[in-house]
Amino acid sequence: MIMFSPLFFVLALLTSTGFAGKLNHRGSGLRPKHLRHARSIQARNNTGPGASPYKLQDMYQGEDFFNRWDFFNGPDPTHGLVNFQNKDDAQRKKLAYVENGTTVLAVDDFTQLQVGAKRDSIRIQTQKTYSRGLFIADFDKMPHGCSVWPAWWSVGPNWPAGGEIDILEGVHEGPTNQYTLHTTSGCSLGNLNEKSTSSHILNAECASSGTDNRGCAFSDSNPQSYGHPFNVAYGGVFAHLWDNTGIKVWRFSRDAIPQDITSKQPNPAGWGTPAANFPSDSCNIAEHFFEHQLVIDTTLCGDFAGPTFASAGCPGTCEQAVANPQNYVFAKWNINYIAVYDN
Ligand SMILES: *[C@@H]1O[C@H](CO)[C@@H](O)[C@H](O)[C@H]1NC(C)=O
Ligand SMILES: *[C@@H]1O[C@H](CO)[C@@H](O)[C@H](O)[C@H]1NC(C)=O
């Protein structure tokens, strides 16, 4: 039985600890006048050679999207009321598929359940691991709704030793996104000037300590950065640059995606103030973040969406919500692509 396979055990252990961090928080024709301007013009020219210092490493998109992701189907480490599906079941039940070139990850929105029962959902993770890079995720839609807790994130081995980077995360019908890092001791935001980001600092300490697993986190100040309002605006792009200088995250609404991203020659130098900035000043990045698998999942209730259910203004109990399939019509990821670049 798969339960007794050592690989499964290791995987379950890694992922269970990996999720533990989520416990408590929760142009023009004008001649360029100087170099910086010249660079940004060049970055927007998709025909110029060498416009971007970053080279495409991996493109996850379209019909072969699922070939390089694994479906995690162990118990949810964050205690959500979900049955994560293996690849065969996920595809047979139409919970994971590619349509019009868009990858869809869905929660079962057709089965009536007993109150307290678990609902079918999806959690996938890349087979490849990364220890740096420029990651660009284009989401047409993301899951939302009472009890719904989706995340686009990455995690290293032996949590929190290998670190965790949460790029897109929230619960229920909240309109704002949260950006979070989780680490071992010796990593914080330091004297970061909040003006170097467009978001609010929620907590400056990245390290988990005792039961405090809040991590260092920012809350996006834009009320279209998550959930229904994000989807209504046709989604957008989350881009994060992870290198020895730190981890920076940019969020672009659909109508403001830089041309260099669209043309697959991204150059963050022209993107302006990031939504979240985790500089290396008070955190040795290479020491705290390594060998990350990229993860996309949707869970229900559990450690984050459970305790916050009532205060979010959701009716009844979280278990009652899960029983009703109509609550999950909008609990879907529509992923245009995820691209990984390196320089
Ligand atoms: C883009 O760059 C190429 C090569 O450097 C140049 O020939 C072309 O005119 C540029 N296009 C625009 C729109 O600036
Ligand atoms: C695919 O295109 C059809 C027809 O325009 C549309 O109804 C459907 O929602 C699209 N699916 C996705 C996943 O975007």
Side-chain angles (χ1 to χ4, degrees), residues 57-80:
Q57 230 186 329
D58 294 294
M59 174 60 82
Y60 300 103
Q61 182 180 32
E63 289 303 327
D64 68 351
F65 185 97
F66 294 117
N67 294 346
R68 292 180 293 150
W69 296 71
D70 290 328
F71 284 70
F72 171 81
N73 71 329
D76 179 11
T78 61
H79 314 106

Side-chain angles (χ1 to χ4, degrees), residues 162-211:
E164 175 181 329
I165 305 172
D166 301 324
I167 299 299
L168 173 49
E169 181 176 31
V171 289
H172 313 303
E173 292 289 13
T176 54
N177 183 48
Q178 186 169 325
Y179 309 92
T180 311
L181 301 185
H182 298 279
T183 66
T184 49
S185 63
C187 179
S188 75
L189 290 180
N191 297 319
L192 179 68
N193 178 349
E194 190 155 353
K195 291 196 175 62
S196 63
T197 80
S198 59
S199 303
H200 309 299
I201 295 177
L202 293 173
N203 189 41
E205 179 56 58
C206 309
S208 293
S209 169
T211 57

Side-chain angles (χ1 to χ4, degrees), residues 29-308:
L30 294 176
R31 183 187 299 269
K33 289 197 172 49
H34 49 77
L35 185 61
R36 194 158 165 236
H37 190 202
R39 284 172 62 93
S40 81
I41 293 285
Q42 194 183 32
R44 287 163 192 275
N45 183 341
N46 63 3
T47 60
S52 165
Y54 295 91
K55 299 276 168 282
L56 185 64
Q57 230 186 329
D58 294 294
M59 174 60 82
Y60 300 103
Q61 182 180 32
E63 289 303 327
D64 68 351
F65 185 97
F66 294 117
N67 294 346
R68 292 180 293 150
W69 296 71
D70 290 328
F71 284 70
F72 171 81
N73 71 329
D76 179 11
T78 61
H79 314 106
L81 284 176
V82 288
N83 290 313
F84 286 131
Q85 302 290 295
N86 67 34
K87 187 175 186 176
D88 287 347
D89 289 341
Q91 296 189 324
R92 184 172 51 79
K93 296 175 184 177
K94 267 221 138 204
L95 298 179
Y97 56 96
V98 178
E99 188 174 281
N100 315 333
T102 298
T103 300
V104 181
L105 306 177
V107 175
D108 174 341
D109 64 355
F110 43 83
T111 307
Q112 181 70 44
L113 300 173
Q114 299 291 320
V115 173
K118 294 175 178 175
R119 183 166 290 284
D120 292 350
S121 187
I122 305 296
R123 170 177 159 148
I124 58 172
Q125 57 205 27
T126 52
Q127 292 161 1
K128 191 167 175 177
T129 62
Y130 301 90
S131 294
R132 54 175 294 141
L134 174 60
F135 304 83
I136 299 185
D138 185 318
F139 299 112
D140 185 56
K141 289 191 173 61
M142 63 167 296
H144 63 89
C146 279
S147 80
V148 179
W149 172 15
W152 152 236
W153 55 294
S154 70
V155 64
N158 192 21
W159 194 94
E164 175 181 329
I165 305 172
D166 301 324
I167 299 299
L168 173 49
E169 181 176 31
V171 289
H172 313 303
E173 292 289 13
T176 54
N177 183 48
Q178 186 169 325
Y179 309 92
T180 311
L181 301 185
H182 298 279
T183 66
T184 49
S185 63
C187 179
S188 75
L189 290 180
N191 297 319
L192 179 68
N193 178 349
E194 190 155 353
K195 291 196 175 62
S196 63
T197 80
S198 59
S199 303
H200 309 299
I201 295 177
L202 293 173
N203 189 41
E205 179 56 58
C206 309
S208 293
S209 169
T211 57
D212 184 355
N213 288 319
R214 285 175 295 166
C216 49
F218 293 89
S219 175
D220 202 308
S221 49
N222 185 304
Q224 289 193 311
S225 54
Y226 181 91
H228 177 63
F230 177 79
N231 294 349
V232 164
Y234 307 101
V237 164
F238 287 83
H240 65 287
L241 177 61
W242 165 12
D243 63 21
N244 286 339
T245 71
I247 296 168
K248 296 184 184 66
V249 192
W250 290 264
R251 180 191 47 74
F252 303 107
S253 56
R254 178 69 51 205
D255 59 5
I257 299 171
Q259 175 63 36
D260 58 305
I261 287 183
T262 309
S263 64
K264 309 283 191 284
Q265 299 203 340
N267 190 352
W271 295 348
T273 305
N277 186 7
F278 305 93
S280 59
D281 311 31
S282 302
C283 182
N284 183 321
I285 297 293
E287 200 175 278
H288 289 286
F289 300 91
F290 50 87
E291 293 167 33
H292 276 211
Q293 288 179 294
L294 312 181
V295 188
I296 305 173
D297 77 284
T298 308
T299 189
L300 308 176
C301 307
D303 298 330
F304 189 5
T308 53

